[in-house]
């Protein structure tokens, strides 16, 4: 009898321990439990001026400042996407007399891929690269590299856009709306996210631990698929970037900087123009948008051709 009782208690304890472990690992991954116990205060901060620029675009910003600098986060293997962008919306052009240039942001891989990128950079002169290791978790470093580049090399530009390599950008409509908006300082726009919460599910791509971000809510930020700001903001964000908590989600990190600077997000237009999702293509629809997401290189080429062909055509009123 006593022996059996002990056995039951033992099983009960095992179940208790296992379910505790499950609960803990649901909220914190194993590596985090380790870093939690071994961490030193302030190990994760953003360092300004860290790393060296390896590749810089060929341009004299002071002499001939562009109206808009578009910066595209990209990785080494996305060569098709970069080529499609160079042939479509990223081709240097003037819209209503305003010059637009597009550059790609890359890190390093410590493999022979780096040589390929160096050659690509020498050929197209449109790559900004620093010596941090490329990867999804270093996206904040990538965006901050672009912001640092504007701060150091091109503060004379009027506007800056940050986008991704699988995004369609209607630079015609964007330029038109920016001119119409007539805001030149402390202006930040995109797809506004005013009420976002950290995702605590470890299986999500956007999982953020309580250790990395202990607060309940994110500050207002714009979806990283495409946001646009007056270039004075680049220097201001760069300036405060060491004073806000570091987070690997680049768009949230920029949001933290904006909150510190008390810069409020604004809509570019009375209708939605930034789409963080996929949209079904029609030239009339795409004439009146700024961004849409999940566009493959081949789609980009056909969409762009159709858009340019129809620029002067009338569309039915919506
Ligand atoms: C980010 O870059 C730094 C500097 O190169 C590197 O030490 C680190 O391992 C990288 N992190 C990730 C997750 O790739
Ligand atoms: C743009 O804004 C400035 C002041 O902010 C104003 O003087 C100017 O008239 C505006 N231009 C247009 C076209 O609305
Ligand atoms: C940078 O921040 C300091 C205070 O933290 C401020 O005095 C300075 O004006 C700022 N510079 C820029 C360019 O915003």
């Amino acid at each position: 009898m006593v022996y059996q009782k002990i056995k039951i208690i033992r099983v009960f304890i095992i179940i208790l321990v296992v379910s505790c472990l499950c609960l803990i690992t649901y909220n914190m991954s194993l590596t985090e439990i380790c870093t939690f116990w071994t961490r030193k205060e302030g190990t994760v901060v953003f360092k300004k001026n860290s790393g060296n620029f390896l590749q810089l675009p060929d341009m004299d910003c002071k002499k001939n400042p562009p109206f808009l600098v578009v910066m595209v986060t990209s990785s080494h293997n996305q060569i098709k996407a970069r080529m499609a962008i160079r042939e479509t919306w990223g081709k240097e052009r003037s819209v209503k007399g305003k010059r637009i240039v597009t550059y790609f942001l890359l890190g390093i891989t410590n493999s022979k891929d780096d040589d390929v990128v160096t050659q690509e950079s020498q050929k197209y002169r449109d790559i900004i690269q620093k010596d941090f290791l490329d990867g999804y978790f270093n996206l904040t470093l990538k965006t901050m590299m672009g912001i640092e580049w504007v701060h150091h090399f091109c503060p004379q530009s009027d506007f800056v856009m940050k986008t991704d390599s699988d995004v369609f950008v209607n630079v015609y409509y964007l330029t038109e709306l920016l001119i119409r908006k007539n805001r030149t300082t402390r202006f930040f726009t995109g797809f506004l996210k005013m009420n976002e919460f950290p995702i605590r599910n470890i299986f999500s791509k956007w999982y953020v631990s309580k250790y990395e971000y202990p607060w309940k809510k994110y500050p207002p930020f714009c979806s990283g698929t495409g946001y646009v700001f007056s270039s004075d903001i680049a220097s201001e964000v760069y300036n405060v970037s060491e004073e806000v908590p570091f987070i690997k989600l680049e768009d949230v990190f920029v949001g933290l900087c904006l909150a510190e600077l008390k810069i409020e997000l604004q809509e570019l237009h009375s209708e939605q123009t930034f789409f963080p999702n996929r949209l079904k293509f029609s030239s009339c629809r795409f004439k009146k948008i700024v961004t849409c997401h999940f566009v493959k290189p081949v789609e980009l080429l056909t969409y762009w051709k159709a858009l340019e062909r129809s620029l002067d055509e009338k569309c039915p009123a919506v």
Side-chain angles (χ1 to χ4, degrees), residues 94-112:
S94 286
V95 178
K96 294 184 187 294
K98 308 285 190 187
R99 194 162 71 98
I100 303 165
V101 294
T102 299
Y103 300 134
F104 298 97
L105 308 176
L106 282 107
I108 57 163
T109 57
N110 283 334
S111 74
K112 62 180 192 311

Side-chain angles (χ1 to χ4, degrees), residues 250-300:
E250 59 90 15
D251 46 9
V252 177
F253 182 77
V254 171
L256 287 167
C257 293
L258 296 176
E260 181 73 19
L261 293 163
K262 303 199 166 50
I263 293 173
E264 282 176 18
L265 311 180
Q266 285 172 53
E267 296 286 0
L268 181 58
H269 190 45
S270 53
E271 275 149 44
Q272 184 180 357
T273 54
F274 292 88
F275 292 85
N277 50 294
R278 201 177 152 83
L279 284 183
K280 194 170 172 327
F281 181 81
S282 84
S283 41
C284 281
R285 181 90 179 91
F286 274 48
K287 265 190 203 181
K288 298 289 174 196
I289 69 161
V290 173
T291 60
C292 94
H293 195 196
F294 303 120
V295 180
K296 297 191 191 89
V298 276
E299 292 171 327
L300 185 52

Side-chain angles (χ1 to χ4, degrees), residues 100-140:
I100 303 165
V101 294
T102 299
Y103 300 134
F104 298 97
L105 308 176
L106 282 107
I108 57 163
T109 57
N110 283 334
S111 74
K112 62 180 192 311
D113 284 351
D114 290 331
D115 302 332
V116 179
V117 163
T118 304
Q119 281 166 18
E120 192 182 326
S121 169
Q122 280 162 359
K123 185 162 183 194
Y124 298 101
R125 295 282 173 203
D126 60 0
I127 287 176
I128 302 174
Q129 185 189 40
K130 259 187 145 178
D131 54 1
F132 61 87
L133 216 63
D134 214 311
Y136 183 71
F137 293 111
N138 268 341
L139 261 188
T140 297

